[in-house]
Amino acid sequence: MKKNVTAMLLALGLVALAVFQLVETNKEAEASAGYAKEMVYNKPVPSFTLQGLDGKQYAIGGEREKPVMINFWASWCGPCQEEAPALKSVYDKYGDRFDLYAVNVTRQDRMADVQAFVKQNGFSFPILLDKEGKTAEMYRILFVPTSFLIDRHGKLQEVIHVLPPDQLEKRIQRLIQS
């Protein structure tokens, strides 16, 4: 009798676990669907305004004179450190034909480290501070670095992560020509 009760309780526990996992899987699927609805290629990206490290306000979204690359990063991120020279290089070479905004996920970073990272890498493009993490959430940033290539019409063309410098340059050239 005790074995039957134990077996029944075990079976009920397994069923409860399976139901819980199904619910969680559905939540993840809905979240992914939300991502797809908000960040669809050739559709407008969410607009935002952030303060830059220079104290100025920067508004991103909608029609622009030049295409734009939005790069989400953090100073403690190893791949961000690897990517930094390539970002500087493409901006130095093509900065008159596209805008580059490096959005620091500041809520997960220290300001002194942000400033040191920018100085060490010689960035001349605007560094935006996502102090509350709302912009990273809006863009569904799961890890850094993540970059968004956006055309002059404010439409998403590509989402990229760390690329070799020559491939990043090709992507920027293609963005400029779009």
Side-chain angles (χ1 to χ4, degrees), residues 24 32 34 38 93 139 167:
E24 290 302 308
S32 295
E38 289 184 32
K93 189 169 184 177
Y139 275 71
Q167 288 184 27

Side-chain angles (χ1 to χ4, degrees), residues 93-112:
K93 189 169 184 177
Y94 300 102
D96 61 332
R97 293 182 268 167
F98 87 108
D99 290 326
L100 171 57
Y101 297 100
V103 178
N104 176 263
V105 185
T106 316
R107 125 181 124 178
Q108 300 173 359
D109 216 334
R110 292 184 358 195
M111 190 56 64

Side-chain angles (χ1 to χ4, degrees), residues 45-52 56-66 68 70 99 101 103 126 128 135 139 150:
V45 297
S47 297
F48 64 90
T49 301
L50 289 174
Q51 182 178 359
K56 297 179 185 176
Q57 293 290 317
Y58 293 88
I60 311 297
E63 296 279 332
R64 310 177 57 81
E65 288 182 29
K66 301 186 273 187
V68 64
I70 303 172
D99 290 326
Y101 297 100
V103 178
L128 310 186
T135 304
Y139 275 71
I150 302 160

Side-chain angles (χ1 to χ4, degrees), residues 136-153:
E137 285 178 20
M138 186 181 348
Y139 275 71
R140 307 250 189 221
I141 300 302
L142 300 175
F143 55 88
V144 289
T146 300
S147 295
F148 297 85
L149 301 183
I150 302 160
D151 69 14
R152 290 171 180 84
H153 306 290

Side-chain angles (χ1 to χ4, degrees), residues 114-173:
V114 172
Q115 292 167 331
F117 186 95
V118 169
K119 183 177 180 179
Q120 175 186 353
N121 289 291
F123 289 164
S124 58
F125 44 83
I127 306 302
L128 310 186
L129 305 172
D130 188 12
K131 294 177 182 177
E132 296 175 9
K134 291 181 180 179
T135 304
E137 285 178 20
M138 186 181 348
Y139 275 71
R140 307 250 189 221
I141 300 302
L142 300 175
F143 55 88
V144 289
T146 300
S147 295
F148 297 85
L149 301 183
I150 302 160
D151 69 14
R152 290 171 180 84
H153 306 290
K155 295 180 180 178
L156 179 63
Q157 296 303 304
E158 192 169 1
V159 178
I160 59 175
H161 303 287
V162 178
L163 292 173
D166 62 326
Q167 288 184 27
L168 178 61
E169 183 172 352
K170 287 179 184 175
R171 304 286 173 88
I172 295 300
Q173 288 172 342

